[in-house]
Amino acid sequence: MTGRLNSAQPYALGLYRIVVGLLFLCHGAASLFGVLGGAAGTGRTLDAGTWPGWYAAVIQLVGGALVLLGLGTRVAAFVAAGSMAYAYFKVHQPNALWPMENGGEAAAMFCWALLLLVFTGSGAFGLDRLFAKRSAEERKPAAEPVTV
């Protein structure tokens, strides 16, 4: 059983990355464009340039898209996880200690979910893997000609 689960690991990780990236992207789109309920469910958008919300939304939109596509996954996930750590400790945690009390569950979960991708990479279905294959093929030495 362990062998089967281990062989499916890149695919499960790829699906995990896609879901986390899509959900993160949706948070950014909601805050920037007012879709999917808008910023904090108000139906409105955040004013451009407001600190820290608007910048967090840009990181969510761009970082979520990159993670979703599996393009620069480790770097995008690192920046996104950092933004969620900042959101938790600077915005939510001063209100109360526990995430259930301070409304920081999403920030905490996204932070740890994205941090996992920093260490695991994109898994299957990611553009990172496609580009890595192409560059590996380009680096292969050409076969030496055979004399007859």
Side-chain angles (χ1 to χ4, degrees):
M1 172 113 169
T2 302
R4 280 188 170 172
L5 290 174
N6 287 344
S7 66
Q9 185 175 355
Y11 304 104
L13 186 58
L15 292 172
Y16 170 84
R17 174 189 46 78
I18 289 168
V19 170
V20 169
L22 179 63
L23 293 173
F24 203 59
L25 180 145
C26 287
H27 273 272
S31 296
L32 292 174
F33 308 123
V35 297
L36 304 170
T42 62
R44 297 184 309 229
T45 62
L46 295 174
D47 293 331
T50 56
W51 179 259
W54 185 84
Y55 293 95
V58 170
I59 291 171
Q60 290 168 359
L61 183 72
V62 174
L66 291 172
V67 168
L68 172 67
L69 296 172
L71 184 61
T73 303
R74 290 177 191 255
V75 174
F78 181 76
V79 172
S83 76
M84 289 295 98
Y86 179 88
Y88 183 76
F89 287 111
K90 289 300 237 181
V91 177
H92 296 285
Q93 200 274 329
N95 297 328
L97 179 62
W98 298 103
M100 290 297 294
E101 295 175 316
N102 64 31
E105 301 100 334
M109 286 295 293
F110 274 124
C111 181
W112 286 104
L114 291 160
L115 191 62
L116 179 64
L117 290 172
V118 172
F119 292 97
T120 61
S122 62
F125 317 119
L127 293 179
D128 286 343
R129 205 173 234 201
L130 177 68
F131 291 141
K133 278 184 186 178
R134 284 189 181 169
S135 65
E137 289 173 5
E138 290 171 2
R139 285 187 299 229
K140 282 184 185 176
E144 294 187 27
V146 178
T147 57
V148 181

